[in-house]
């Protein structure tokens, strides 16, 4: 399969419809009844005594415990038109946002294991009442409709043609608001899957040139302005970090600049994404096992591009600028050597003492350039350090920032989706180990606190503007398949960036 085919696959969105109806009045082809663990009485079926009794018996026999990912398919009895399934939603609290997405993903993944026409989902009252729950659940279901088998001959995940959400009539139900939420969810899930697919693409199919093209061809038609700098322009613009890293490969680098003026009046939010399409480590070569997954090293760029896709498709009234430095990190004859000194866009000189600390070199230029354009704030996303995985594990991103308000906004967005971040310090003394004998600084710190020294390095290039750095090395990639996730790229933080855009009127 070539990259064009993958590109087509990733814009496929499932059709989701809303029906407001009493449970007793519906008798669809395949009815799925999601149940919270707390929901002992199976209130979702209370209005249908015979169905309710049958399901309660199963619960009581311990055949179904309503855990996240549990799905029990029952065959129809005479009064049912079609199949019936119970789907577990887990405990409703705490962490409702994260569980909603996971439960949706698990449910959709199970049902997507074979080709299906229409699935109807009875949304429990409690799920409608909890703010954001339905949105996250729906995002999970829709995102689960794409697997990781981009290059497999036989499909192993099938998109459900239509997902029908059935909500019982109740006081104060706002149909238009629910429909908006469902639309947002399906758009955002499409963007998550675009990011996942870009990350899952083989490195040979996403060279910087090709990746820039894919981003251009997807975003330009949506009204996002996309400018792509080639290697000559990159040299003219003095992006010394990007030039240094790309010196070791024949694949020319690219710098992708995005702009979405949903609100032209407001000062921009700058989003910067690390786009290393393959990280071999360079001359500071990684061992083979550590290199296996290094096609994931452009996740930051993929996530930023995908967030632009969602924000533009939804027409959100924000002003966003994107900066995506794209390169391979290889060991070619002209590769950076240890001791080489690079001059970055903002004039700082950097002594390269480890060519595997390449992300910060390309981000330095992108941050400097972004800062020159005086945005209201800068947020960067990067699979920056293994040390962040040591600190926080594989599921939580490291958050660093120099301004409380911006940090709080990112944290709020993350709470709305359950895409977890955890703040790590940025105290001044962590910059000490970056001192160089020969240049303004070097590109590695000492043995300890590697995620923090990397962030301190980046801080030198943000021009004192409000800035948040997210080290997504862990959560942007899933090592294995599970009921609630597929192996490979996760699209981590696309959903939160969209929530950030939705929450702001000004930037
Ligand atoms: N891309 C890696 C970081 C990474 C590691 C991402 C594991 C995803 C999973 C980054 O370029 C890197 O190699 N960082 C080095 C920095 C070190 C040389 C200071 C690292 O973490 O070892
Ligand atoms: Mn590296
Ligand atoms: Zn890297």
């Amino acid at each position: 399969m070539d990259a064009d085919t993958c590109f087509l696959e990733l814009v496929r969105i499932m059709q989701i419809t809303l029906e407001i109806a009493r449970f007793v009045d519906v008798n669809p082809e395949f009815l799925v009844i999601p149940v919270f663990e707390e929901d002992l009485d199976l209130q979702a079926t209370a209005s249908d005594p015979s169905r309710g009794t049958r399901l309660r018996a199963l619960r009581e026999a311990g055949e179904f415990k309503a855990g996240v990912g549990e799905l029990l398919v029952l065959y129809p009895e005479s009064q049912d038109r079609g199949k019936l399934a119970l789907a577990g939603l887990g405990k409703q609290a705490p962490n409702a946002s994260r569980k909603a997405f996971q439960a949706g993903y698990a449910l959709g993944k199970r049902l997507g294991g074979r080709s299906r026409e229409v699935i109807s989902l009875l949304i429990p009252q409690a799920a409608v009442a909890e703010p954001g729950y339905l949105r996250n659940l729906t995002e999970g279901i829709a995102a689960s409709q794409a697997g990781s088998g981009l290059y497999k001959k036989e499909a192993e995940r099938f998109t459900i043609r239509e997902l029908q959400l059935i909500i019982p009539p109740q006081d104060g139900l706002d149909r238009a608001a629910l429909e908006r939420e469902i639309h947002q969810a399906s758009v955002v899930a499409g963007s998550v899957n675009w990011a996942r697919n870009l990350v899952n693409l083989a490195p040979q199919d996403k060279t910087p040139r090709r990746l820039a093209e894919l981003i251009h061809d997807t975003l330009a038609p949506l009204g996002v302005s996309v400018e792509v700098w080639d290697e000559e322009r990159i040299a003219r613009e003095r992006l010394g970090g990007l030039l240094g890293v790309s010196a070791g490969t024949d694949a020319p680098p690219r710098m992708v600049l995005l702009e979405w003026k949903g609100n032209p009046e407001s000062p921009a939010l700058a989003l910067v994404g690390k786009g290393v399409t393959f990280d071999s480590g360079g001359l500071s070569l990684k061992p083979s096992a550590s290199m296996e997954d290094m096609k994931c090293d452009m996740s930051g760029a993929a996530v930023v591009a995908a967030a632009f896709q969602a924000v533009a498709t939804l027409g959100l009234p924000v002003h966003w600028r994107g900066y995506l430095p794209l390169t391979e990190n290889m060991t070619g004859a002209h590769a950076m050597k240890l001791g080489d000194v690079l001059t970055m866009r903002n004039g700082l000189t950097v002594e390269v003492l480890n060519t595997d600390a390449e992300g910060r070199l390309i981000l330095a230029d992108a941050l400097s350039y972004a800062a020159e354009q005086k945005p209201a704030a800068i947020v960067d996303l990067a699979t920056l350090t293994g040390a962040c995985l040591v600190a926080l594990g594989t599921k939580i991103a490291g958050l660093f920032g120099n301004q409380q308000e911006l940090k709080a906004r990112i944290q709020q967005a993350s709470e709305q989706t359950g895409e977890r971040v955890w703040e790590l310090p940025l105290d001044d003394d962590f910059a000490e180990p970056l001192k160089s004998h020969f240049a303004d600084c070097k590109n590695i710190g000492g043995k300890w606190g590697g995620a923090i020294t990397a962030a301190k390095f980046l801080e030198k290039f943000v021009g004192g503007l409000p800035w948040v750095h997210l080290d997504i090395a862990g959560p942007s990639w899933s090592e294995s398949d599970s009921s609630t996730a597929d192996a490979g790229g996760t699209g981590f933080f696309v959903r939160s960036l969209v929530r950030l855009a939705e929450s702001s009127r000004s930037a």
Side-chain angles (χ1 to χ4, degrees):
M1 180 189 274
D2 67 23
D4 279 302
T5 327
C6 300
F7 165 65
L8 289 177
E9 150 120 2
L10 47 87
V11 284
R12 192 178 53 181
I13 300 185
M14 110 195 278
Q15 193 197 338
I16 308 176
T17 57
L18 173 68
E19 188 164 337
I20 298 183
R22 293 189 310 149
F23 298 157
V24 65
D25 293 336
V26 294
N27 206 355
E29 235 168 82
F30 193 157
L31 183 66
V32 177
I33 305 178
V35 185
F36 287 113
E37 271 178 39
E38 292 94 334
D39 197 357
L40 288 167
D41 303 326
L42 279 170
Q43 58 150 338
T45 59
S47 53
D48 176 352
S50 80
R51 202 189 272 156
T53 313
R54 192 148 56 103
L55 301 183
R56 210 157 21 243
L58 280 165
R59 275 286 304 253
E60 278 158 17
E63 296 290 350
F64 178 73
K65 296 194 169 71
V68 167
E70 251 185 279
L71 188 85
L72 185 66
V73 180
L74 309 168
Y75 275 80
E77 288 192 349
S78 53
Q79 75 273 27
D80 303 321
R81 178 153 79 89
K83 271 188 279 193
L84 204 59
L86 295 180
L89 295 179
K91 282 204 172 55
Q92 202 187 337
N95 307 319
S97 315
R98 175 155 50 93
K99 295 226 188 89
F101 182 83
Q102 287 181 332
Y105 202 100
L107 187 165
K109 185 173 174 180
R110 272 292 300 275
L111 292 172
R114 43 174 285 201
S115 166
R116 305 188 193 268
E117 280 296 298
V118 184
I119 298 280
S120 304
L121 216 61
L122 287 185
I123 304 298
Q125 173 78 45
V128 182
E130 168 86 29
Y133 191 94
L134 184 62
R135 166 93 182 256
N136 287 320
L137 181 77
T138 312
E139 283 181 357
I141 299 173
S144 74
Q145 299 302 292
S148 304
L150 279 184
Y151 295 88
K152 293 198 193 224
K153 204 157 91 199
E154 305 281 338
E156 38 169 36
R157 191 70 48 84
F158 301 89
T159 307
I160 299 165
R161 193 180 55 74
E162 182 187 337
L163 178 72
Q164 185 185 47
L165 304 179
I166 301 169
I167 296 180
Q170 53 202 272
D171 287 345
L173 208 60
D174 181 347
R175 184 179 182 110
L178 286 168
E179 272 174 349
R180 192 171 344 109
E181 243 184 291
I182 289 166
H183 174 65
Q184 288 163 331
S186 88
V187 168
V188 173
S191 301
V192 169
N193 285 348
W194 185 41
R196 287 175 56 208
N197 282 335
L198 291 176
V199 173
N200 290 342
L201 277 180
Q204 90 231 39
D205 288 335
K206 58 173 173 195
T207 57
R209 193 169 57 197
R210 179 80 188 117
L211 183 56
E213 250 169 40
L214 284 171
I215 292 171
H216 172 273
D217 293 352
T218 301
L219 297 184
L222 299 174
V224 176
S225 103
V226 184
E227 198 183 327
V228 179
W229 290 356
D230 64 9
E231 62 272 40
E232 280 163 27
R233 179 76 191 269
I234 289 168
R236 250 188 295 136
E237 298 284 350
R238 306 178 324 279
L239 305 191
L242 184 53
L243 286 170
V245 175
S246 66
T249 169
D250 286 342
R254 289 290 182 267
M255 177 77 180
V256 178
L257 304 169
L258 307 174
E259 184 166 24
W260 168 251
K261 280 190 173 184
N263 178 355
E265 260 98 80
S266 68
L269 173 68
L271 293 164
V272 177
K274 171 178 174 182
V276 175
T277 61
F278 181 71
D279 183 8
S280 74
L283 288 182
S284 312
L285 195 66
K286 287 182 185 295
S288 186
S290 313
M291 219 188 278
E292 264 176 31
D293 302 337
M294 279 304 133
K295 67 175 182 182
C296 80
D297 215 17
M298 37 59 79
S299 294
V303 166
V304 169
F308 269 82
Q309 185 198 33
V311 162
T313 305
L314 294 170
L316 297 181
V318 291
H319 184 187
W320 272 14
R321 290 212 179 98
Y323 303 83
L324 314 177
L326 310 180
T327 181
E328 291 180 347
N329 185 23
M330 297 293 285
T331 57
H334 302 285
M336 296 183 292
K337 303 162 199 73
L338 307 201
D340 272 352
V341 175
L342 306 176
T343 305
M344 317 309 264
R345 165 83 187 187
N346 73 348
L348 276 186
T349 55
V350 178
E351 185 190 10
V352 176
L353 288 181
N354 191 319
T355 61
D356 199 11
E358 85 297 343
R360 63 197 73 182
L361 298 175
I362 68 172
L363 289 170
D365 288 329
L367 290 167
S368 303
Y369 186 67
E372 283 170 32
Q373 299 183 310
K374 298 273 171 269
I378 306 178
V379 176
D380 80 74
L381 295 97
T383 47
L384 202 61
T385 66
C388 199
L389 275 138
V390 175
L392 298 175
T394 60
K395 303 284 172 60
I396 302 183
L399 177 147
F400 304 83
N402 59 7
Q403 197 220 32
Q404 196 48 46
E405 189 196 328
L406 182 65
K407 281 191 284 191
R409 281 181 58 203
I410 302 279
Q411 281 162 333
Q412 251 164 33
S414 131
E415 276 157 27
Q416 282 173 29
T417 58
E419 295 177 315
R420 284 172 287 179
V421 299
W422 193 260
E423 187 173 2
L424 294 171
L426 257 187
D427 299 297
D428 282 346
D429 48 339
F430 285 97
E432 289 290 318
L434 290 168
K435 286 193 171 143
S436 158
H437 299 301
F438 312 105
D440 294 326
C441 66
K442 55 184 180 169
N443 76 330
I444 45 164
K447 187 170 176 191
W448 309 112
I452 308 173
T453 46
K456 288 307 281 184
F457 182 91
L458 298 183
E459 192 185 28
K460 297 176 185 292
F461 301 91
V462 301
L465 291 171
W467 158 72
V468 157
H469 158 58
L470 293 167
D471 191 332
I472 58 170
S476 64
W477 182 258
S478 169
E479 237 160 75
S480 54
D481 259 322
S482 72
S483 65
T484 57
D486 282 289
T490 60
F492 175 86
F493 232 65
V494 172
R495 297 168 54 233
S496 301
L497 289 179
V498 179
R499 299 304 195 284
L500 181 72
E502 287 170 357
S503 76
S504 67
R505 295 285 126 212
S506 57

